[in-house]
Structures are given as C-alpha cells and as structure tokens.
Amino acid sequence: MTEFSFTCLGVRADRFAAGPTLVFRLRVTASGDTPVHAIALRCQIRIEPARRGYAPDEADGLTDLFGERARWGSTLQPVQFAQVPLLVSAFTGETEADLVVPCTYDMDIAATRYLNALTDGEVPLLMLFSGTAFTGTGGFRVEPVPWDREAPFRMPVATWREMVEQHFPGCGWIRLPGDTMDALLAYRSRHALPSWEATLKALLATADQPSHDPLRTLTGTTGRNRP
C-alpha cells in the first residue's frame, strides 16, 4: 500500500474569482517510487478555535458562538469551514496542487462569524483528507487514502480580510427572509429614502426612541408589508 501525506504550504485570496475564494497550496507526497496516476480527494477544513488566544474585543465578538469567556474551556469546539473535492493529477514521489475553496460572507454561517470577529494573527485550521488513489506500473490498482490523513495550517487573518475586501469593499452582508425584505422596501418607498443605508439608519434612529415600536414602524399602522 502507498502511504500518502499532505502539507499545506500557503494560502492566497483569488482576486480573479467571481466570488470570495481562497486557494490553498498543497504538497502531496506518496511513499516509494510507484507512479500515482491520479488521486480523487475529499478535503474537509475545520477551524480549531482553542489553538489560539483572543484579545478582549475579539472575545466580545465571539460571545454569540462560544458564550462567556469563563465557559470557553468546554465551548471552544471545532467549527466547520469547508468541504471540497480535489483531483490530483499524475505524479511520482511528490507533487503540488491548488485546493480552491469558495467562501461566503453570510453572517448566519458560524465560520464567517468567527473569522469576522478576529482582528489580527492567524486562524488555526485542520485539513482532513480521504479519498481514492489510482497507482501502479503497467496498469493501475485502486488504493484508499486513509481517513486519518491530516495537515494543520495557520491561515493569516489578513488573507481572509483581503479576500472579503476584494468582493465587499467597506461593506458587510446579511441575509433576510423575503417578507422582511418586502417590509423594508415598503418602508423605504413610503419615506422616499435614497438607499438601503439610509433606510436602516432611519429605522435605527426610530428604534432608539422608547415610545416607538420598531416592528410597527417597519410594517406601518395598517400591518401591510408591501408598497
């Protein structure tokens, strides 16, 4: 059986991708001198939050994920980041390949909320590999890539922020249900507000007034949620 090992050499933000994308550079090593015709890999990437420290402002941003800092001894559990396939082309001994990982800035996703809370330093990742390898001389045989193959990697927070800034410069992104979007559109139309930013600022200003109910302000006195 061929022994396979994996090392992550680095990561970069793909500035030419249509959406937020990270590209991890992998080194794949196969024992012996038997040719490897191809490897069909399954790559799971997890964030391991217990493997780094956190500044006070970072800890405040992670409260919704892990609770108060006093509880972190039991709540700092791994967070799923991505699961992607990779086809490694033919090689003998050792090769390098790019693992392309599409990302999201959806703040409903735990991994995104975690990464957004970090201000500096590195993100402790664990890359887990499994799959099927096709090897052999003068033909091929099928070998499994054991599920226990893994590679730790510390991704710079700056790389994540660079990727986000490429696609959402100076902005954030939130996902809302359709009925809430309809109510926001109706509110914007009634008040002739020029942008979504102005719409939300107007709602926030109203919400700061104790005598007003923000939900009633949004839907209007008739309860309609459409213009």
Side-chain angles (χ1 to χ4, degrees), residues 129-174:
F129 301 94
S130 62
T132 304
F134 304 89
T135 67
T137 304
F140 72 89
R141 64 177 181 268
V142 178
E143 300 185 39
V145 177
W147 61 267
D148 62 348
R149 304 293 93 176
E150 61 184 43
F153 180 68
R154 301 188 73 86
M155 178 179 71
V157 172
T159 302
W160 167 264
R161 294 195 171 275
E162 176 190 352
M163 178 199 70
V164 171
E165 188 65 18
Q166 287 172 2
H167 295 275
F168 304 101
C171 300
W173 188 95
I174 57 174

Side-chain angles (χ1 to χ4, degrees), residues 165-187:
E165 188 65 18
Q166 287 172 2
H167 295 275
F168 304 101
C171 300
W173 188 95
I174 57 174
R175 180 178 57 186
L176 296 173
D179 57 346
T180 303
M181 284 298 302
D182 288 341
L184 282 170
L185 180 60
Y187 181 86

Side-chain angles (χ1 to χ4, degrees), residues 10-182:
V11 62
R12 60 181 172 86
D14 187 348
R15 61 186 309 170
F16 301 109
T21 303
L22 292 173
V23 181
F24 293 86
R25 188 66 174 173
L26 299 180
R27 176 183 294 145
V28 184
T29 304
S31 63
D33 55 2
T34 300
V36 177
H37 302 296
I39 308 177
L41 282 177
R42 294 182 295 273
C43 311
Q44 179 184 4
I45 305 176
R46 296 191 318 209
I47 299 170
E48 302 215 312
R51 293 190 175 184
R52 62 158 284 168
Y54 300 91
D57 54 340
E58 293 177 326
D60 291 342
L62 295 171
T63 301
D64 64 327
L65 283 179
F66 304 121
E68 298 298 327
R69 190 188 281 269
R71 301 176 51 212
W72 283 11
S74 59
T75 60
L76 284 185
Q77 300 299 318
V79 176
Q80 178 78 0
F81 179 61
Q83 188 161 335
V84 292
L86 174 64
L87 183 63
V88 180
S89 57
F91 69 97
T92 299
E94 184 177 282
T95 191
E96 294 183 7
D98 285 338
L99 177 65
V100 179
V101 180
C103 301
T104 178
Y105 198 41
D106 185 347
M107 295 303 291
D108 285 339
I109 305 299
T112 304
R113 297 208 306 276
Y114 173 86
L115 291 163
N116 188 65
L118 303 184
T119 59
D120 202 358
E122 297 173 326
V123 183
L125 301 177
L126 183 63
M127 311 179 80
L128 306 169
F129 301 94
S130 62
T132 304
F134 304 89
T135 67
T137 304
F140 72 89
R141 64 177 181 268
V142 178
E143 300 185 39
V145 177
W147 61 267
D148 62 348
R149 304 293 93 176
E150 61 184 43
F153 180 68
R154 301 188 73 86
M155 178 179 71
V157 172
T159 302
W160 167 264
R161 294 195 171 275
E162 176 190 352
M163 178 199 70
V164 171
E165 188 65 18
Q166 287 172 2
H167 295 275
F168 304 101
C171 300
W173 188 95
I174 57 174
R175 180 178 57 186
L176 296 173
D179 57 346
T180 303
M181 284 298 302
D182 288 341

